[in-house]
Amino acid sequence: MPLTDTLDQVVRAAAPITDDEVRGLTLDELERDLRAVIVAQPARAPRPRARSARRVLRWGLPSVAAVAAAVLVISLSGGGERLGTSPDRAWAAPALRVANAVPRLLVGEPGWRVIRADEFTVNEGEMRFSSAGRGVDLHWRSGSDEDLGRDRANSADELPPAELDGVTVRVFRYEGTVDDFTALWRSGRYTMELRTTFTRGVDRLTAAEYRRVLESLHPVSVDEWLGAMPPSVVLPAKTGDAVDAMLEGIPVPDGFDRERLKRDATVRDRYQLGARVSGAVACAWIERWVAARRSGDDAAAKAAVDAMQTTRQWPILREMDRAGDYPEVLWQLAGAMNGDGIVPAGRPMTVEEAYRDALGC
Amino acid sequence: VRGDATLQVVPDITQPMEEERTRRFDRLFGEHRRAVLGYALRRADDPADAADVLAETFLIAWRRLDDVPFEEGARAWLLGVARRVLANQRRGARRHSELAERIGRELATQLAQVPEPSETDMLVLGALATLSEDDREVLLLAGWEGLSPSEIAAAMGLRAVTVRSRLHRARRRLRAALDAPGPVVDAPATLDLAAKEPCR
């Protein structure tokens, strides 16, 4: 967290007890007793790896759901054009590409709706469903579930499996909890995961409720799926216009490829799209600044610094500033470029060291 | 004599494995016990609860030692377990083991020496309390535990990109909560960056 250490330091200072104070506690004897009690407990035998390998193999076979989904996609693709020209459902081709590819699932339990879908692509994405403050996150990732299955099994107990449209779903409860569940299953080339989320002051789902939500997931049409997205989501149909609007009044370096930003088929929350657009411009300026300093081109370096000093007036950053900290990170970099090149942080870093990770260049 | 030699093969194989296992656990316990205890003490209401989290977390680590990542990944794994143990503890009846009670009593005595939070700290803690549990936890894992986004992702079972996104928002929400009208408290200079942008 190099660039936001100032706020982190405020948080750290408010810790009820510091790491140094914890290290200074005199507990060695009691900890020795605790260690002895623990190692006297029986250790769990290592899980047979072959079992999970067999599961993966079985899931690799075409499932009833995958076949059903393929049929659904085929039937919808014929109507895609009609949907695309519908006045109130103007889904562009990229959105249809994503929607046609990924498993389009919605929770069927009454009262559940999509409240968040930050960004997703054909390859991966996640969306949050919520009802009365209780929530689940649905993730999809293309590829094998082997690593995820191993990871979840490493820190969770496997419960009896569930079934979703004929597909076996592995259900886990994280060890040491009663209500922190996750479930993994295969859907075509995707690994799907449904994970409970937490909301302060709201009871989480019980095991039975979680299973009901899980088993209520059902495939829906492209239209229904895209229509279920929250209003903040920028669908690819409008990405081009949104990118142009976000870039208005922003100085971009020569050769900046704005079309690449527009070609992106990712469905994004407006905040995420803003981060991508403003980040692409800032990354381009910083890269030029770094190169100019290396080559001793003072004029080019100054042009980059001047451009970055305008970032506080970029409308998209001012809009995003109300929702998150991406602008703050960018402004810290701009400030450092205009100063000694050092970003104030717990461990001071140069702009060159920090910018790629900070902005996602 | 030959028969003895054959019999000795079994302990020769298993005993070193058990010793190695115990050695690995000891390294883990030695290196990370205070990090887990600190995590729990900063969040639990009662020192005995924190002691329970410490005991339960390392018991799970002992049982699942083969699953604990080596080197850098171990701390995030342990804090992920501690987080779930604590969440579970908050929901259920608290039954401490006798040893956890003893550790808890000792902690309570020693913690009496730790300075009380300042008025500013209380303000920050109050602002943190207004955040959702998810938002607060990503901030605290970064600020209190010093975890990187990737480590937070491992501890919370999320993708690193999701953690980065949540961190950005959580920091903004925390700033907004710190700026909300309330009792006038002198904030540290480091709070200067909060909400001073011309866009507001």
Side-chain angles (χ1 to χ4, degrees):
Chain A
M1 246 70 36
L3 294 180
T4 41
D5 262 16
T6 327
L7 187 63
D8 282 352
Q9 280 162 5
V10 173
V11 172
R12 194 173 304 126
I17 182 167
T18 66
D19 283 345
D20 283 345
E21 287 164 342
V22 175
R23 276 191 289 272
L25 294 168
T26 312
L27 293 170
D28 290 354
E29 197 177 323
L30 287 164
E31 285 170 336
R32 268 196 295 275
D33 291 350
L34 176 60
R35 179 253 170 215
V37 167
I38 290 171
V39 298
Q41 301 289 316
R44 179 180 294 188
R47 276 181 299 286
R49 298 293 181 194
R51 187 170 160 235
S52 56
R54 278 201 300 275
R55 272 169 201 247
V56 171
L57 190 63
R58 193 180 72 225
W59 290 0
L61 299 173
S63 66
V64 174
V67 173
V71 171
L72 187 64
V73 167
I74 290 163
S75 66
L76 282 167
S77 62
E81 205 168 329
R82 182 179 56 76
L83 286 170
T85 54
S86 164
D88 56 341
R89 285 279 184 268
W91 315 125
L96 287 173
R97 215 161 37 237
V98 175
N100 277 331
V102 307
R104 299 176 303 275
L105 300 178
L106 294 179
V107 171
E109 284 284 286
W112 284 78
R113 61 190 179 87
V114 184
I115 62 163
R116 188 173 63 74
D118 276 352
E119 56 183 344
F120 50 79
T121 64
V122 167
N123 287 325
E124 66 174 334
E126 67 175 53
M127 52 207 290
R128 174 167 295 183
F129 296 87
S130 175
S131 170
R134 303 197 291 179
V136 288
D137 283 343
L138 178 69
H139 308 255
W140 64 88
R141 306 170 179 91
S142 62
S144 159
D145 61 340
E146 195 170 357
D147 287 346
L148 280 176
R150 192 179 304 120
D151 176 80
R152 302 308 183 251
N154 282 351
S155 49
D157 292 320
E158 190 153 359
L159 304 178
E163 196 177 298
L164 206 53
D165 284 340
V167 175
T168 303
V169 178
R170 295 175 76 182
V171 182
F172 300 92
R173 177 172 51 213
Y174 278 97
E175 185 153 349
T177 78
V178 293
D179 54 10
D180 194 354
F181 303 102
T182 198
L184 288 175
W185 69 98
R186 290 285 295 172
S187 179
R189 69 185 184 95
Y190 292 93
T191 297
M192 308 295 292
E193 179 166 28
L194 188 76
R195 176 84 198 268
T196 46
T197 65
F198 310 81
T199 304
R200 184 176 175 75
V202 176
D203 281 345
R204 275 187 272 170
L205 297 169
T206 64
E209 288 167 334
Y210 173 75
R211 270 185 196 267
R212 270 206 303 279
V213 170
L214 171 65
E215 288 171 353
S216 79
L217 286 169
H218 60 287
V220 296
S221 70
V222 171
D223 207 27
E224 195 179 345
W225 191 68
L226 291 174
M229 297 299 159
S232 60
V233 164
V234 179
L235 292 165
K238 298 184 176 164
T239 297
D241 291 345
V243 168
D244 279 337
M246 287 175 181
L247 286 173
E248 208 169 298
I250 293 181
V252 297
D254 292 341
F256 181 78
D257 185 4
R258 66 167 64 205
E259 295 307 315
R260 193 168 60 85
L261 291 170
K262 296 181 184 179
R263 280 196 299 272
D264 182 38
T266 303
V267 178
R268 279 195 171 87
D269 181 86
R270 193 170 159 81
Y271 182 93
Q272 303 292 346
L273 182 64
R276 181 171 155 77
V277 171
S278 59
V281 179
C283 290
W285 280 122
I286 298 173
E287 277 158 15
R288 281 163 191 245
W289 180 75
V290 169
R293 278 165 50 109
R294 280 189 186 152
S295 64
D297 185 345
D298 292 343
K302 183 175 182 310
V305 170
D306 290 346
M308 287 296 286
Q309 296 322 296
T310 68
T311 53
R312 283 195 181 267
Q313 280 75 50
W314 292 5
I316 183 57
L317 290 180
R318 292 166 64 156
E319 176 190 324
M320 289 165 64
D321 189 36
R322 292 189 284 275
D325 247 12
Y326 192 88
E328 192 64 48
V329 171
L330 202 148
W331 290 331
Q332 281 182 308
L333 285 163
M337 288 168 70
N338 198 31
D340 58 4
I342 302 295
V343 181
R347 181 178 75 82
M349 298 172 83
T350 64
V351 170
E352 193 173 347
E353 286 173 324
Y355 81 99
R356 284 196 188 88
D357 187 44
L359 298 179
C361 297
Chain B
V1 172
R2 286 188 191 94
D4 286 347
T6 306
L7 283 173
Q8 280 169 6
V9 168
V10 176
D12 278 351
I13 291 172
T14 59
Q15 203 166 333
M17 281 173 65
E18 282 176 20
E19 283 172 8
E20 177 50 36
R21 182 182 165 78
T22 307
R23 267 200 300 276
R24 181 161 183 235
F25 177 79
D26 284 346
R27 279 198 302 276
L28 203 64
F29 188 73
E31 266 177 48
H32 299 295
R33 66 187 196 279
R34 293 295 171 99
V36 173
L37 180 62
Y39 173 90
L41 279 173
R42 287 189 274 270
R43 290 163 179 79
D45 300 329
D46 176 345
D49 290 344
D52 242 5
V53 170
L54 174 71
E56 182 70 16
T57 299
F58 278 100
L59 182 58
I60 290 170
W62 169 247
R63 287 183 183 145
R64 292 181 174 274
L65 199 57
D66 295 329
D67 299 331
V68 181
F70 282 90
E71 307 302 335
E72 304 88 39
R75 188 166 65 117
W77 189 93
L78 288 165
L79 294 183
V81 172
R83 173 173 174 264
R84 292 186 287 272
V85 169
L86 185 65
N88 191 51
Q89 188 186 63
R90 282 175 173 155
R91 288 184 47 80
R94 296 173 186 182
R95 291 187 304 277
H96 301 135
S97 67
E98 188 272 332
L99 181 55
E101 288 286 359
R102 271 171 56 209
I103 297 175
R105 280 195 298 275
E106 182 57 37
L107 281 170
T109 307
Q110 295 188 36
L111 291 175
Q113 311 301 317
V114 174
E116 290 285 312
S118 68
E119 210 171 340
T120 304
D121 294 341
M122 292 302 291
L123 187 74
V124 176
L125 292 171
L128 283 165
T130 65
L131 303 183
S132 72
E133 193 170 336
D134 273 359
D135 280 355
R136 187 171 56 253
E137 188 63 0
V138 292
L139 276 183
L140 295 187
L141 284 171
W144 287 1
E145 268 53 59
L147 298 192
S148 69
S150 307
E151 289 173 320
I152 295 171
M156 295 183 75
L158 299 169
R159 293 183 304 147
V161 67
T162 305
V163 169
R164 281 178 206 280
S165 161
R166 283 190 189 170
L167 269 172
H168 288 321
R169 291 184 184 203
R171 288 191 175 114
R172 170 54 58 202
R173 286 171 182 151
L174 179 62
R175 285 208 181 106
L178 285 168
D179 291 340
V184 176
V185 176
D186 285 335
T190 47
L191 273 179
D192 273 353
L193 62 83
K196 292 280 178 67
E197 289 84 45
C199 54
R200 288 179 168 260

